[in-house]
Amino acid sequence: MQINFPCLIKSSYILCRSIFDVKAARIVKVNEPLEIQDVETLKPKGSQVLIKVESSGVCHSDIHLWEGGYKGPEGQFLKTTDRGVKYPLTPGHEIAGTVDNIGEEAEGRFSKNEKVLVFPWIGEGLCPACRIGEENLCDKPRSLGVYVNGGYAEYVLIPSYKYLVKIGDDIDIDAAATLSCSALTAYGAVKNANLNPDDNVVVVGAGGLGLMAMQLAKTVTGARIIAMDIGDDKLKAAKEDGGADDVVNSKKEDPVKAIMELTSNLGADAVIDFVNASKTVESDMQFLRRRARLVLVGLFGGELKLSLVSMPTRAYRLIGSYTGTLSEMVELVSLAKRGIIKPIVSDRFKLDQATEALSKLKDGKIIGRGVINP
Ligand SMILES: [Zn+2]
Ligand SMILES: [Zn+2]
């Protein structure tokens, strides 16, 4: 942090100034290395809280922000700027840190140096989704690290203390960071899959999100987990850390044949697809049991040809699942405190290694989750 002008109170210099500079790793131009910049930040007022970022998770959606868009149908490119994203942008929506300074309305609720996890899926507060507590699905989202500056920075200003969840000392701060997106997305997807203890659920993609979904589905629902991926190292982690009962390498064997064999030719009761590419979903559609739920989570993108008559006759349900709610994040923190889910952090980076972190994730070289420690 750079001090703009001298301050009389040395020990708490932030308190006496309303604007200060925060070092951040920012996407200035898409596909180019992130730049370390000093970003003007305001001192918190009202219910706002200034968080000192200790850990900021590196997420696949940060890659889409970096690339400037998503792959849409028929090779079309869906631009992030068309969705309201503005550059330069400080990415980072998985933020865990300590309370540094608070607005007057937050006094008594949080104290300095208290460890917190930030709920990043902030809405404008007035739309029908916000009004029922689904701010993650707001019509005019203000998500941190997507629409406003996020956690690839030394400090981040949070609009209200209501978006903070205390984590205490029971959870490692790097592991806690991953709860607000990867674990929350995994939890939301598991809930949407509506699993019963006797169900066979196929989890497609055994990266950070997939592993977390396996842990949650196993513990919370008791369903039988079949992990599918193209990497043997990831499938090994699925068995050891995710608690998968069976694994299928869809590069080495025919995924449809493998799932039908593992389910006595009945097919999967549910599929949670964390890749969500044309290739994976086309194969998912071929091993669904009647009444199956296909939950699409990944942001790889592409298109799908549907046999329309099969939808009613086989009573399939196609469900899109996007992150989760603030109350689900509170539940997750509680599950993590009790050791029921164990987020796996495998790679740690400094702020000036943000580009390296994104490249490594893009190349599929991060098993578990990467975090930036500013
Ligand atoms: Zn994310
Ligand atoms: Zn809203």
Side-chain angles (χ1 to χ4, degrees), residues 258-278:
I259 298 299
M260 294 314 281
E261 271 172 18
L262 285 168
T263 57
S264 313
N265 274 319
L266 291 169
D269 298 282
V271 182
I272 307 175
D273 195 325
F274 287 103
V275 181
N276 192 20
S278 301

Side-chain angles (χ1 to χ4, degrees), residues 58-226:
V58 182
C59 178
H60 270 102
S61 59
D62 297 338
I63 295 173
H64 296 295
L65 289 168
W66 188 31
E67 291 176 338
Y70 300 75
K71 202 169 149 189
E74 287 158 15
Q76 196 192 336
F77 190 68
L78 305 174
K79 283 171 134 185
T80 48
T81 47
D82 292 340
R83 283 176 46 219
V85 173
K86 290 186 178 76
Y87 299 99
L89 171 76
T90 309
H93 49 270
E94 299 187 352
I95 309 162
T98 51
V99 171
D100 189 82
N101 194 0
I102 57 176
E104 59 284 1
E105 286 167 30
E107 270 169 32
R109 311 239 177 206
F110 288 91
S111 49
K112 194 172 162 79
N113 297 327
E114 197 160 16
K115 288 184 198 168
V116 290
L117 172 65
V118 179
F119 181 77
W121 312 111
I122 296 172
E124 42 73 83
L126 298 169
C127 80
C130 285
R131 289 174 69 171
I132 58 161
E134 294 182 356
E135 281 193 50
N136 57 312
L137 300 174
C138 176
D139 289 333
K140 290 178 186 166
R142 293 175 186 173
S143 317
L144 300 175
V146 182
Y147 299 104
V148 297
N149 288 329
Y152 286 22
E154 294 171 311
Y155 293 83
V156 64
L157 185 68
I158 310 302
S160 169
Y161 61 84
K162 80 169 185 182
Y163 300 113
L164 304 178
V165 180
K166 298 180 187 199
I167 55 175
D169 292 319
D170 299 333
I171 324 173
D172 167 71
I173 204 146
D174 290 333
T178 70
L179 296 175
S180 66
C181 176
S182 63
L184 187 59
T185 299
Y187 194 41
V190 168
K191 283 201 160 181
N192 277 322
N194 200 17
L195 298 171
N196 292 307
D198 295 332
D199 282 350
N200 290 302
V201 56
V202 178
V203 176
V204 181
L209 269 81
L211 284 178
M212 203 87 69
M214 291 175 215
Q215 291 171 349
L216 286 161
K218 186 94 188 166
T219 324
V220 181
T221 73
R224 175 194 183 201
I225 318 279
I226 304 169

Side-chain angles (χ1 to χ4, degrees), residues 222-240:
R224 175 194 183 201
I225 318 279
I226 304 169
M228 188 180 282
D229 203 288
I230 52 170
D232 282 332
D233 49 348
K234 290 192 174 167
L235 292 171
K236 191 168 167 259
K239 273 217 145 165
E240 288 171 2

Side-chain angles (χ1 to χ4, degrees), residues 342-353:
K342 297 171 195 74
I344 299 139
V345 176
S346 51
D347 296 68
R348 289 173 177 80
F349 304 89
K350 289 282 156 206
L351 201 54
D352 58 7
Q353 295 174 305

Side-chain angles (χ1 to χ4, degrees), residues 290 307-316:
R290 276 188 105 169
S307 159
L308 293 178
V309 83
S310 307
M311 294 302 294
T313 57
R314 297 192 57 79
Y316 295 144

